[in-house]
Amino acid sequence: MQLRYSIFGESHGPAIGVVIENLPSGIPVDIEFINSELDRRRAKKGGLSTPRLESDLPEIVSGVFEGFTTGTPLCAIIRNGNTRSGDYSRTKDLARPSHADYTGRIRYGGFNDYRGGGHFSGRLTAPMVFAGAVAKLWLKEKGIFVGGHILRVGEAEDLPFDPVHIVPADFQKIASRTLPTISEEAGKAMEAIIQQARMEQTSVGGIVQCAVTGLPAGIGSPDESLEGIIAKNIFSVPAVKGLEFGLGFGFGSAYGHEVNDPMRMENGRVVSSSNNNGGILGGISSGMPLIFQAAIKPTPSISRPQDTINMETMENASIEIQGRHDPCILSRATVVIEAAAALSVMEAILDSMTDSATDSTTDSTTDGRS
Amino acid sequence: MQLRYSIFGESHGPAIGVVIENLPSGIPVDIEFINSELDRRRAKKGGLSTPRLESDLPEIVSGVFEGFTTGTPLCAIIRNGNTRSGDYSRTKDLARPSHADYTGRIRYGGFNDYRGGGHFSGRLTAPMVFAGAVAKLWLKEKGIFVGGHILRVGEAEDLPFDPVHIVPADFQKIASRTLPTISEEAGKAMEAIIQQARMEQTSVGGIVQCAVTGLPAGIGSPDESLEGIIAKNIFSVPAVKGLEFGLGFGFGSAYGHEVNDPMRMENGRVVSSSNNNGGILGGISSGMPLIFQAAIKPTPSISRPQDTINMETMENASIEIQGRHDPCILSRATVVIEAAAALSVMEAILDSMTDSATDSTTDSTTDGRS
Amino acid sequence: MQLRYSIFGESHGPAIGVVIENLPSGIPVDIEFINSELDRRRAKKGGLSTPRLESDLPEIVSGVFEGFTTGTPLCAIIRNGNTRSGDYSRTKDLARPSHADYTGRIRYGGFNDYRGGGHFSGRLTAPMVFAGAVAKLWLKEKGIFVGGHILRVGEAEDLPFDPVHIVPADFQKIASRTLPTISEEAGKAMEAIIQQARMEQTSVGGIVQCAVTGLPAGIGSPDESLEGIIAKNIFSVPAVKGLEFGLGFGFGSAYGHEVNDPMRMENGRVVSSSNNNGGILGGISSGMPLIFQAAIKPTPSISRPQDTINMETMENASIEIQGRHDPCILSRATVVIEAAAALSVMEAILDSMTDSATDSTTDSTTDGRS
Amino acid sequence: MQLRYSIFGESHGPAIGVVIENLPSGIPVDIEFINSELDRRRAKKGGLSTPRLESDLPEIVSGVFEGFTTGTPLCAIIRNGNTRSGDYSRTKDLARPSHADYTGRIRYGGFNDYRGGGHFSGRLTAPMVFAGAVAKLWLKEKGIFVGGHILRVGEAEDLPFDPVHIVPADFQKIASRTLPTISEEAGKAMEAIIQQARMEQTSVGGIVQCAVTGLPAGIGSPDESLEGIIAKNIFSVPAVKGLEFGLGFGFGSAYGHEVNDPMRMENGRVVSSSNNNGGILGGISSGMPLIFQAAIKPTPSISRPQDTINMETMENASIEIQGRHDPCILSRATVVIEAAAALSVMEAILDSMTDSATDSTTDSTTDGRS
């Protein structure tokens, strides 16, 4: 059955959470690891993110028994504390530009919880990180690892992953930094840009690059492509506006003889000497590292005056968004993108398992018919 | 119920086709229009595409009665003619680099039809164009139009759509050109690049830009985002490696105060004075034109010698791909991307209809609770 | 989008609950009504059900704002109190006959929570009653009502619903009784049978009959039949082993001329003078009352000695099930069956709404094409 | 991924057929076996079924290569021949009682193909038999067999399957008879009843009993129960109005101590000495034979005059249904019910494979944790 997760909750309601269905039984639920992942998403002091600090300790309500998943639905909830609903009532009818205030109101006929963005809030990414951490625990047992870094913030650019030789050890080093980057200088340049944006009462966007190592060939299918599964999950992360695999948009100005990935045998394994396709061909994993980039827009909450409309009176208005906001969500977004990737890869592996002629858990290199 | 389509067939099998489920009844099935869409996808003479010319006339097997959809599953098939299986047998065990030969073989344990890429063939986009044409006929009745153009081929770049003021009339003008571009000069530059690529026995990639006009606000949802629905369909098109909405990857180096879309009342309608978000906020349509770009890699079939492996002997090998190939699929891809967009938007509208508090077929600008 | 609910939790875990997705926004969430429905499912004193009495007050965690559904996922949880895990540890490895102890252990590789049946417990029907109550609140606004009664317990049989003339007022009268029956004498006979079963340390099965009134014609489809949607939900209720619509198994010994339902015009409405088909033809509602019966097996927990196996030693064994059990779950099952029916009918109506040529919310009797 | 099939076509359109998605690759597609299954469904001479005789030879359009399934969608179509549309035009606006003429017209706004019932026709069960035959070929390789017999026609009753000791050899003997029954005398009595019904211009209903042998324990789940999967498929077969597992409705008048299935070790295997639960506990297979009964109503097409309405004029009318009809569809329905069962069991096995802690293809009797 398809791995499925349902994220519920509103920013200023009693709690947020997730139900994960069709999890395999027997996954060791390492609470410490899950909390460390949630901690990576959490806002930190120092001006790089919002001053709304929350503890975000999850309560596992079901689906775990004596430390292992039971195989029946796993529900975890995270209580909302530190909510200041008063912050929002004053501007309830003013649509924050580039936020979902207007579209949500139309979609739900005005019944949506508008406080802090309600169900549209970036806070809802915490349960996704929870679910992603469970997926990572399952993947780890198969030797599959997921890691990300900030490739870009404004004009500052990090080094890219080596798409052929990347190893999981790279991920740990990155995750330990203030901003998760490969190059420390790039991280410092990004910090400067973010602090500058905060002081100028604006925000700044960026790009996250994510990699999955250890994924065997043969996961995915042409009709439900691995790219499509990842896209479904990545585009449910608020603020993501673009997704590309491998060379991605770079393919648009490239020639076949330059970017085709030549194949070789190496120590009995099938590899390619370049990995412009980001580890996916025909919607199916190739055995090379899976690489993608996600574009994240600047958080639309800025305190400068902006033109907008009053949704109640349907007249032009101006808004200055007060409250506590992130000048840049890239530092917190990396682990969210990783979570979406981990859930996607897990879903695709479980899907491909239903094919009796494929042993999807080993890097099989031979033809099942021979 | 969810609009659903299943594309079946192999490049060198008896036929390819599609079953569309949960279509509304009563859609006028304009065969002439459908055939004109299939014609846009068809290879043309003149060196811009493959010399494999096919008639591609669909047979509607079910789901249409007296010219209208019945509401029960619509199946259409397109017979395969002009297949030269002999072209492929010689290289059966050589994995064509950047094709799905190797991944498909692993995924399906060697049972997949390898001839011409089998189910992975670009030929399978013909049934998608058929299904997209049916979706367009339904959308047209609601005043919703879908159009695309080639934004880039190699270094040649077309003008972008005006994301705020684009109108359907623009689409017709574009579709009538040899290459579907806004600027005729850009089209000529692209033609030159493609002919050059053909002569140099290579291929070239590009970017398609697609727009949807007339889409009311309120379509989509945060959990099944409009971006996600489009992504699922777009990434099932072979050779697509990237997708971005509005400013997309441009957001990565942008600041909030520059790219937030200010909102205004205009003739009683809610509009935004820019449209960097490409018509989607919080996974829901905003009422502005929906704009996205899809990156398409150079077709991997090139006749230059390439390093590869022999999948039977598991040894290194070299391949020179013979046969009839497109030096650039962008001219044919535009209508395919439009089809995927039309099917996505139709699916999202039907999904949003289940919400009793939303009238998703009109551009409602008022609050249902007031 | 499809109405969807995920029930989570284990009998002896911290809590049980449900997430409902794709609920329309704007449903008035009448907490008092919901609690009254949960109260109908609750065990009562007097020997007719288990002495495990729980308060079962749900906490709505998300998806409701200012008294109305928001349209985003609704999560409700019910804390588990009054658990006596000690009751179960002694017999942990003994498979209770006709329970899911053995099948659950095989299915989940021994990782399932065995205490009190874990996720297989009848206690998990409480969240279903919660979800069903929300569905009933939505249906009520459309003039659609769901009601049930105990048709049989052991040899005692209630009068059946009048399948043509049944009205919602009948439902209220039934629900107010100790045992929900049409005939008070039948209820008394059932009580006697249940008390007898309790004294004899056994249990007794029965049949629930359920009706839906006010359902317009045109809901459902041949490929996803209304019967199939109801069946999916009804067979997820523990202990249900049979389901029939209208005459059901009675059709097996019937002749066409006796049981075909003749059609008539009556006050401008299309009716049938009999309703052997239980309000469904071709998988689609006919406008007549929807009628079905569900067979419920005796609760397998009885305190007499039974032959079984020890799942750890894989040897024959004997078990005497101690603890607090229902001698008959029919009194509590009626509202559960109603809940499954309400959720099914709501799902089918929302599904049929996507068909633009059908106005599924009114009892249309004319042809859309004329 | 979930096994999925989409049946398309109308009784008097060009063709009917099926697309099966997510089939495992490598299933040997034994055309002879498939045709023999279709032959079991086909009308025969001799008065027991309709005189509309068709050849029903399927064309496999996709998804099979060199005799094996490829793993990509399999489409097969069966051309419609021998259609006499003239038979239906005269009574186009008269709703045939207990048929779907009226409900289909309302559901699809009058756009459905009314000829011969269109997509509601029993003829659409031929593609289901095709798909079921493919499923049986896959199941056979795992030692799982599906068989059925007519348990009842009118008052004539066959012997039931032995729910504990049934073996596949029983199925072959039954299938070779004129009417598929266990007892030859019961078959003869049924024949007499059917001939009598035909002469009296009426029709007669019945019950099919179906069994699955060799199914290992551990298939299914509490939330997507094996009963629910079977029910979804069985209730999509036209004319089915009831479904029960094992003792089914007999549980309604039974006591726990009589009908609980005692468990025993037998030659190292876990068995139960009775099988009242029909091989399913908690929605999961127990390793005992799976047994169910489906109630089938008399075909509503009878040539006696019947009260009905004219759907165009909305007035009372009378109808005498002419044309070629089955007086009893039980002889043809058995293989259809088997097909639905085979598809269900295959779907459930593939679903349960995603659970890494379960080896669903072997009859594992030990605890994965020990």
Side-chain angles (χ1 to χ4, degrees):
Chain A
M1 274 182 293
Q2 196 184 13
L3 182 71
R4 208 179 172 286
Y5 63 93
S6 314
I7 288 172
F8 54 84
E10 284 83 35
S11 175
H12 288 59
I16 57 176
V18 64
V19 173
I20 319 175
E21 293 172 88
N22 302 326
L23 272 180
S25 59
I27 305 176
V29 179
D30 178 343
I31 298 290
E32 212 166 309
F33 172 72
I34 292 173
N35 285 339
S36 73
E37 289 285 286
L38 285 166
D39 192 60
R40 289 177 60 201
R41 197 206 74 93
R42 202 167 289 136
K44 308 291 187 318
K45 292 181 183 170
L48 292 175
S49 50
T50 171
R52 178 181 173 180
L53 304 170
E54 303 204 315
S55 59
D56 285 355
L57 280 181
E59 178 194 10
I60 295 177
V61 166
S62 69
V64 176
F65 180 56
E66 298 182 347
F68 294 89
T69 56
T70 58
T72 49
L74 190 166
C75 177
I77 63 176
I78 299 171
R79 293 279 162 189
N80 287 326
N82 199 5
T83 58
R84 302 191 202 158
S85 294
D87 287 6
Y88 297 95
S89 56
R90 215 169 45 81
T91 53
K92 157 185 182 333
D93 292 320
L94 297 182
R96 292 169 301 163
S98 292
H99 265 292
D101 296 343
Y102 171 67
T103 57
R105 188 164 172 140
I106 295 295
R107 173 67 173 85
Y108 297 114
F111 289 100
N112 57 309
D113 181 351
Y114 54 80
R115 298 168 302 162
H119 187 66
F120 293 88
S121 167
R123 180 155 169 72
L124 274 287
T125 56
M128 184 182 277
V129 169
F130 177 94
V134 175
K136 283 180 175 182
L137 288 166
W138 184 79
L139 291 169
K140 194 174 81 173
E141 305 223 321
K142 304 199 174 308
I144 301 170
F145 293 88
V146 181
H149 69 112
I150 310 181
L151 184 63
R152 168 181 296 280
V153 165
E155 291 304 316
E157 205 171 346
D158 194 14
L159 299 170
F161 279 136
D162 178 330
V164 173
H165 301 105
I166 182 171
V167 290
D170 300 336
F171 300 154
Q172 260 124 45
K173 202 171 6 169
I174 292 165
S176 68
R177 304 223 160 100
T178 313
L179 287 184
T181 53
I182 294 173
S183 145
E184 289 199 81
E185 301 89 273
K188 290 211 166 59
M190 290 175 187
E191 280 190 51
I193 287 172
I194 296 170
Q195 297 288 14
Q196 184 77 13
R198 189 173 55 83
M199 284 188 299
E200 293 181 4
Q201 300 188 309
T202 187
S203 57
V204 61
I207 297 173
V208 169
Q209 186 177 50
C210 185
V212 182
T213 65
L215 186 63
I219 304 301
S221 73
D223 299 301
E224 292 212 38
S225 70
L226 188 47
E227 289 109 328
I229 294 172
I230 292 171
K232 175 188 70 178
N233 287 304
I234 291 289
F235 279 116
S236 75
V237 176
V240 171
K241 298 299 282 188
L243 175 65
E244 60 178 11
F245 294 86
L247 200 55
F249 278 88
F251 277 119
S253 42
Y255 289 85
H257 68 282
E258 295 166 350
V259 296
N260 277 3
D261 293 316
M263 300 178 77
R264 293 282 90 181
M265 295 304 303
E266 195 177 281
N267 303 324
R269 293 183 68 250
V270 174
V271 298
S272 60
S273 38
S274 61
N275 185 13
N276 292 310
N277 283 286
I280 307 179
L281 289 169
I284 300 173
S285 64
S286 69
M288 296 300 292
L290 194 165
I291 312 273
F292 68 85
Q293 291 84 237
I296 293 177
K297 70 179 186 183
T299 174
S301 291
I302 59 176
S303 47
R304 297 191 189 189
Q306 296 182 83
D307 279 354
T308 191
I309 58 157
N310 181 310
M311 297 184 289
E312 193 62 30
T313 64
M314 298 308 278
E315 289 171 343
N316 285 332
S318 179
I319 189 170
E320 289 174 48
I321 301 172
Q322 304 304 329
R324 303 157 296 172
H325 305 292
D326 291 284
C328 181
I329 55 170
L330 269 289
S331 63
R332 306 174 64 191
T334 305
V335 68
V336 178
I337 296 296
E338 290 174 19
L343 287 161
S344 303
V345 167
M346 183 174 180
E347 175 186 331
I349 293 175
L350 291 172
D351 275 357
S352 300
M353 269 187 192
T354 61
D355 191 343
S356 62
T358 303
D359 180 4
S360 58
T361 56
T362 59
D363 190 357
S364 45
T365 47
T366 50
D367 178 339
R369 295 178 79 182
S370 56
Chain B
M1 275 181 294
Q2 197 184 13
L3 182 70
R4 209 178 173 287
Y5 62 93
S6 314
I7 289 172
F8 55 83
E10 284 84 32
S11 176
H12 288 58
I16 57 176
V18 63
V19 173
I20 320 174
E21 292 172 89
N22 303 326
L23 272 180
S25 60
I27 306 176
V29 179
D30 179 342
I31 299 289
E32 212 166 311
F33 172 73
I34 293 172
N35 285 338
S36 72
E37 290 284 285
L38 285 167
D39 193 60
R40 290 176 61 201
R41 196 205 76 92
R42 201 167 291 137
K44 309 291 187 319
K45 294 181 184 171
L48 292 174
S49 49
T50 171
R52 177 179 174 182
L53 303 170
E54 302 203 315
S55 60
D56 284 355
L57 281 181
E59 178 195 10
I60 295 177
V61 166
S62 69
V64 176
F65 181 55
E66 298 181 347
F68 295 89
T69 56
T70 57
T72 48
L74 191 166
C75 177
I77 63 176
I78 300 172
R79 292 279 162 190
N80 286 327
N82 197 5
T83 58
R84 302 191 203 158
S85 295
D87 288 7
Y88 297 95
S89 55
R90 217 169 45 81
T91 53
K92 157 184 182 334
D93 292 319
L94 296 182
R96 292 169 301 163
S98 292
H99 265 292
D101 296 343
Y102 170 67
T103 58
R105 187 163 171 140
I106 295 295
R107 175 67 174 84
Y108 297 114
F111 289 100
N112 57 309
D113 182 351
Y114 54 80
R115 298 169 300 162
H119 188 66
F120 293 88
S121 167
R123 179 154 171 74
L124 273 288
T125 57
M128 184 181 276
V129 169
F130 177 94
V134 174
K136 283 181 174 179
L137 288 166
W138 184 78
L139 291 169
K140 194 175 83 172
E141 305 223 322
K142 303 197 174 310
I144 301 169
F145 293 88
V146 180
H149 69 111
I150 310 179
L151 185 61
R152 167 181 296 279
V153 165
E155 291 304 316
E157 206 171 347
D158 194 16
L159 299 169
F161 280 135
D162 179 329
V164 173
H165 301 105
I166 182 171
V167 290
D170 300 336
F171 300 153
Q172 261 123 45
K173 203 173 359 170
I174 292 165
S176 68
R177 305 226 159 100
T178 313
L179 287 184
T181 53
I182 295 174
S183 146
E184 289 199 80
E185 300 90 90
K188 290 212 166 59
M190 290 174 188
E191 280 190 50
I193 287 171
I194 297 170
Q195 296 289 12
Q196 183 75 15
R198 189 173 55 83
M199 285 186 299
E200 295 181 3
Q201 300 187 308
T202 186
S203 58
V204 59
I207 298 173
V208 169
Q209 186 177 51
C210 185
V212 182
T213 66
L215 187 64
I219 305 301
S221 73
D223 298 301
E224 292 212 37
S225 71
L226 188 47
E227 289 108 329
I229 294 173
I230 293 171
K232 175 188 68 178
N233 287 303
I234 291 291
F235 277 117
S236 74
V237 177
V240 171
K241 297 300 283 188
L243 175 65
E244 61 178 10
F245 295 87
L247 202 54
F249 278 87
F251 277 119
S253 44
Y255 289 86
H257 69 280
E258 294 166 352
V259 296
N260 277 0
D261 294 316
M263 299 179 76
R264 292 283 89 180
M265 296 304 303
E266 195 177 280
N267 304 323
R269 293 183 68 250
V270 174
V271 298
S272 60
S273 37
S274 61
N275 185 15
N276 292 310
N277 283 286
I280 307 180
L281 289 168
I284 301 173
S285 64
S286 68
M288 296 300 291
L290 193 164
I291 312 272
F292 69 85
Q293 291 84 238
I296 293 177
K297 70 177 184 183
T299 173
S301 292
I302 58 175
S303 45
R304 298 191 189 189
Q306 296 182 84
D307 278 354
T308 191
I309 58 156
N310 181 309
M311 297 184 288
E312 195 61 31
T313 63
M314 299 308 279
E315 290 172 343
N316 285 332
S318 179
I319 188 170
E320 288 174 49
I321 302 172
Q322 305 303 329
R324 302 158 296 172
H325 304 292
D326 292 286
C328 180
I329 55 171
L330 269 290
S331 63
R332 305 173 65 190
T334 306
V335 68
V336 178
I337 297 296
E338 290 176 18
L343 287 160
S344 303
V345 167
M346 183 175 181
E347 176 185 332
I349 294 175
L350 291 172
D351 274 357
S352 300
M353 269 187 191
T354 60
D355 191 343
S356 63
T358 304
D359 180 4
S360 57
T361 56
T362 60
D363 189 357
S364 47
T365 47
T366 51
D367 178 339
R369 296 179 76 182
S370 57
Chain C
M1 276 181 293
Q2 196 185 14
L3 181 70
R4 210 178 172 286
Y5 62 94
S6 314
I7 289 172
F8 55 83
E10 285 83 33
S11 175
H12 288 57
I16 56 176
V18 64
V19 173
I20 319 175
E21 293 173 89
N22 303 325
L23 271 180
S25 61
I27 306 176
V29 179
D30 178 343
I31 299 288
E32 212 165 310
F33 172 72
I34 292 172
N35 285 338
S36 73
E37 289 285 286
L38 284 166
D39 193 60
R40 289 176 62 201
R41 196 206 75 93
R42 201 168 290 136
K44 308 292 187 318
K45 292 180 183 172
L48 292 176
S49 50
T50 171
R52 177 178 173 181
L53 303 170
E54 302 204 314
S55 58
D56 285 355
L57 280 181
E59 178 194 10
I60 294 178
V61 166
S62 69
V64 176
F65 181 55
E66 297 181 348
F68 295 89
T69 56
T70 58
T72 48
L74 191 167
C75 177
I77 62 177
I78 301 171
R79 292 279 162 190
N80 287 325
N82 198 6
T83 58
R84 301 192 204 157
S85 295
D87 287 9
Y88 297 95
S89 55
R90 218 170 42 83
T91 54
K92 157 185 182 334
D93 293 319
L94 297 182
R96 292 169 300 162
S98 293
H99 265 293
D101 296 342
Y102 170 67
T103 58
R105 187 163 171 141
I106 295 295
R107 173 67 173 85
Y108 298 114
F111 289 100
N112 58 310
D113 182 351
Y114 55 80
R115 298 168 301 163
H119 187 65
F120 294 87
S121 166
R123 179 154 169 73
L124 274 286
T125 56
M128 186 182 276
V129 169
F130 177 94
V134 175
K136 283 181 174 180
L137 287 166
W138 185 78
L139 292 170
K140 193 175 84 172
E141 305 223 323
K142 305 198 172 311
I144 301 170
F145 293 88
V146 180
H149 69 111
I150 309 179
L151 185 62
R152 168 182 295 280
V153 164
E155 291 305 316
E157 206 171 347
D158 195 16
L159 299 169
F161 280 136
D162 178 330
V164 173
H165 301 105
I166 182 172
V167 291
D170 299 337
F171 300 153
Q172 260 123 46
K173 202 172 2 169
I174 292 165
S176 68
R177 304 225 160 101
T178 313
L179 288 185
T181 53
I182 295 174
S183 146
E184 289 199 79
E185 301 90 89
K188 289 210 164 60
M190 290 175 187
E191 281 191 48
I193 287 171
I194 296 169
Q195 296 289 12
Q196 184 76 15
R198 187 173 58 83
M199 284 185 302
E200 294 181 2
Q201 299 187 307
T202 187
S203 58
V204 60
I207 298 173
V208 169
Q209 186 177 50
C210 185
V212 183
T213 66
L215 186 63
I219 304 301
S221 72
D223 298 301
E224 292 213 36
S225 71
L226 188 48
E227 289 109 328
I229 295 172
I230 293 170
K232 175 187 69 179
N233 287 303
I234 291 290
F235 278 116
S236 74
V237 176
V240 171
K241 297 298 283 189
L243 175 65
E244 60 177 12
F245 295 87
L247 201 54
F249 278 87
F251 278 119
S253 43
Y255 289 85
H257 68 282
E258 294 166 352
V259 295
N260 278 0
D261 293 318
M263 298 179 76
R264 293 282 89 179
M265 296 304 303
E266 194 177 280
N267 304 321
R269 293 183 68 251
V270 174
V271 298
S272 60
S273 37
S274 62
N275 185 15
N276 292 310
N277 282 286
I280 307 179
L281 289 169
I284 301 172
S285 65
S286 69
M288 297 300 292
L290 192 164
I291 312 272
F292 69 85
Q293 291 85 237
I296 293 176
K297 71 178 185 183
T299 173
S301 292
I302 59 175
S303 46
R304 298 191 189 189
Q306 297 182 83
D307 279 353
T308 191
I309 59 156
N310 181 311
M311 297 184 288
E312 195 61 31
T313 63
M314 298 307 277
E315 289 171 344
N316 285 331
S318 179
I319 189 169
E320 289 174 48
I321 302 172
Q322 304 304 328
R324 303 157 296 172
H325 305 291
D326 292 285
C328 181
I329 55 171
L330 269 289
S331 63
R332 305 174 64 189
T334 306
V335 68
V336 178
I337 296 295
E338 290 176 18
L343 287 160
S344 304
V345 167
M346 183 175 180
E347 175 185 331
I349 293 175
L350 291 172
D351 275 356
S352 300
M353 267 187 191
T354 59
D355 191 343
S356 63
T358 304
D359 181 3
S360 58
T361 56
T362 58
D363 189 356
S364 44
T365 48
T366 51
D367 178 339
R369 296 178 76 182
S370 55
Chain D
M1 275 182 291
Q2 196 184 14
L3 182 70
R4 208 177 173 286
Y5 62 94
S6 314
I7 289 172
F8 55 82
E10 284 83 33
S11 175
H12 289 58
I16 57 176
V18 64
V19 172
I20 319 175
E21 292 173 88
N22 303 325
L23 272 179
S25 60
I27 306 176
V29 179
D30 178 343
I31 299 289
E32 212 166 309
F33 172 72
I34 293 173
N35 285 338
S36 73
E37 289 285 285
L38 285 166
D39 193 60
R40 290 176 61 199
R41 197 206 73 95
R42 202 167 289 137
K44 308 290 188 317
K45 292 181 184 171
L48 292 175
S49 51
T50 171
R52 178 180 173 181
L53 303 171
E54 303 202 315
S55 59
D56 284 356
L57 281 181
E59 179 194 10
I60 295 178
V61 166
S62 70
V64 176
F65 181 54
E66 299 181 347
F68 294 89
T69 56
T70 59
T72 49
L74 191 166
C75 177
I77 63 175
I78 299 171
R79 292 280 162 188
N80 287 326
N82 198 5
T83 58
R84 303 192 202 156
S85 294
D87 288 6
Y88 297 95
S89 56
R90 217 169 44 81
T91 53
K92 157 186 184 331
D93 292 320
L94 297 183
R96 292 169 302 163
S98 292
H99 265 292
D101 297 343
Y102 170 67
T103 59
R105 188 164 172 141
I106 294 296
R107 175 65 175 87
Y108 296 114
F111 289 100
N112 57 310
D113 182 350
Y114 53 81
R115 298 168 302 162
H119 187 66
F120 293 88
S121 167
R123 180 156 169 73
L124 273 287
T125 55
M128 184 181 276
V129 169
F130 176 94
V134 174
K136 283 180 174 181
L137 288 166
W138 185 78
L139 291 169
K140 194 175 81 172
E141 305 224 321
K142 303 197 174 310
I144 301 169
F145 293 87
V146 181
H149 69 111
I150 310 179
L151 185 62
R152 167 182 295 281
V153 165
E155 291 304 317
E157 206 171 345
D158 194 15
L159 300 169
F161 279 134
D162 178 330
V164 173
H165 302 105
I166 182 171
V167 291
D170 300 337
F171 300 154
Q172 262 125 44
K173 201 170 8 168
I174 292 165
S176 67
R177 305 225 160 100
T178 313
L179 287 185
T181 52
I182 294 174
S183 146
E184 288 200 80
E185 301 89 273
K188 290 210 164 57
M190 290 175 187
E191 279 191 50
I193 287 172
I194 296 170
Q195 297 289 13
Q196 183 76 13
R198 189 173 56 81
M199 285 187 300
E200 293 182 3
Q201 300 188 309
T202 188
S203 58
V204 61
I207 297 173
V208 169
Q209 187 178 50
C210 186
V212 183
T213 66
L215 187 64
I219 304 301
S221 73
D223 298 302
E224 293 212 39
S225 71
L226 187 48
E227 289 108 329
I229 294 173
I230 293 171
K232 176 187 70 178
N233 287 303
I234 291 290
F235 278 117
S236 74
V237 176
V240 170
K241 298 299 283 188
L243 175 65
E244 60 178 12
F245 294 86
L247 200 55
F249 278 86
F251 278 119
S253 43
Y255 289 86
H257 69 282
E258 295 166 351
V259 296
N260 278 2
D261 294 316
M263 299 178 76
R264 293 282 90 179
M265 295 305 302
E266 194 178 281
N267 304 323
R269 293 182 68 250
V270 174
V271 298
S272 60
S273 38
S274 61
N275 185 14
N276 292 310
N277 283 287
I280 307 179
L281 289 169
I284 300 172
S285 64
S286 68
M288 297 300 292
L290 193 165
I291 312 272
F292 69 84
Q293 291 83 238
I296 294 177
K297 71 179 184 182
T299 174
S301 291
I302 58 176
S303 46
R304 298 191 190 189
Q306 296 182 83
D307 279 354
T308 189
I309 59 156
N310 180 310
M311 297 184 289
E312 194 62 31
T313 63
M314 299 306 278
E315 288 171 347
N316 285 331
S318 179
I319 188 170
E320 290 173 48
I321 301 173
Q322 305 304 329
R324 302 158 295 172
H325 305 292
D326 291 285
C328 181
I329 55 170
L330 269 289
S331 62
R332 305 174 64 189
T334 306
V335 68
V336 178
I337 297 296
E338 290 175 20
L343 287 160
S344 303
V345 167
M346 182 174 180
E347 175 185 331
I349 293 175
L350 291 172
D351 274 358
S352 300
M353 268 188 192
T354 60
D355 190 343
S356 62
T358 304
D359 181 4
S360 58
T361 56
T362 57
D363 190 358
S364 47
T365 46
T366 51
D367 178 337
R369 296 178 77 182
S370 57

